[in-house]
Amino acid sequence: MAISFDNALGIHQYTLGIRAQRAEVLSSNIANADTPHYKARDVNFSSALESAVSHQQGMRMMATSEKHFDLQALTQQNVQFRVPDQPDTGDGNTVDMQKEQQTFMQNTLEYQMSLDFLGGKFSGMRKAIRGD
C-alpha cells in the first residue's frame, strides 16, 4: 500500500512554502522602509493557499514536467500592494515599520508552527512504518 503524502501531510506542505515567500516580501518591505515611492506589499495568504492546493491535487512533488506546480509563481500572483494605515509622509513610501515588524514576527511564528505540524505528521508516519 503506497503512502499518499497529499493525504498524510494535509495543507501543511503548502503553507510552509507560502509563508517562506511571504517572509521574503515582508523583509523586502522592511529593507525599503526609507526608499522614496516604495509601496508596501504582502501576500494574500488565503488566495495563495487556495491556488496551491487546487494546482497540486493529484500531482507528485517532483518537478520533472512543465505541468508541475510552481509555488513561487503562484505566490507572486497573490502578492498585492498593501493599503496604507498611515498618511503619506511626503515621499510616497507606504511602509509602516511597526506593522511590518509585527506582521513579520507573526508570519515567523506561523512558519514555525507549520514546521512543527509537519514534523508531527512525519513522526506519526515513521511510527506507523516501524510499527511502534
Side-chain angles (χ1 to χ4, degrees), residues 6 8 14 17 40 43 50 56 62 64 98 103 114 116 119 121 123:
D6 282 339
Y14 307 116
V43 173
E50 187 177 308
Q56 189 64 21
M62 296 174 49
T64 58
Q98 290 179 344
T103 305
S114 292
D116 292 345
K121 296 283 188 179
S123 177

Side-chain angles (χ1 to χ4, degrees), residues 53-100:
V53 171
S54 68
H55 281 82
Q56 189 64 21
Q57 291 294 344
M59 293 183 160
R60 301 281 184 239
M61 292 301 288
M62 296 174 49
T64 58
S65 169
E66 68 279 351
K67 294 180 183 178
H68 285 178
F69 167 75
D70 183 5
L71 180 64
Q72 187 166 4
L74 286 173
T75 305
Q76 292 303 323
Q77 292 172 3
N78 294 294
V79 173
Q80 302 169 345
F81 290 106
R82 184 179 290 149
V83 177
D85 292 334
Q86 63 186 11
D88 188 2
T89 58
D91 66 355
N93 188 309
T94 62
V95 176
D96 178 0
M97 277 299 285
Q98 290 179 344
K99 181 176 180 102
E100 297 301 329

Side-chain angles (χ1 to χ4, degrees), residues 92-111:
N93 188 309
T94 62
V95 176
D96 178 0
M97 277 299 285
Q98 290 179 344
K99 181 176 180 102
E100 297 301 329
Q101 290 172 338
Q102 182 267 332
T103 305
F104 186 83
M105 181 56 71
Q106 179 180 353
N107 187 64
T108 302
L109 292 172
E110 290 168 349
Y111 181 87

Side-chain angles (χ1 to χ4, degrees), residues 11-12 14-15 18 44-54 78:
I11 64 168
H12 303 297
Y14 307 116
T15 62
I18 295 169
N44 184 333
F45 184 81
S46 58
S47 295
L49 183 60
E50 187 177 308
S51 296
V53 171
S54 68
N78 294 294

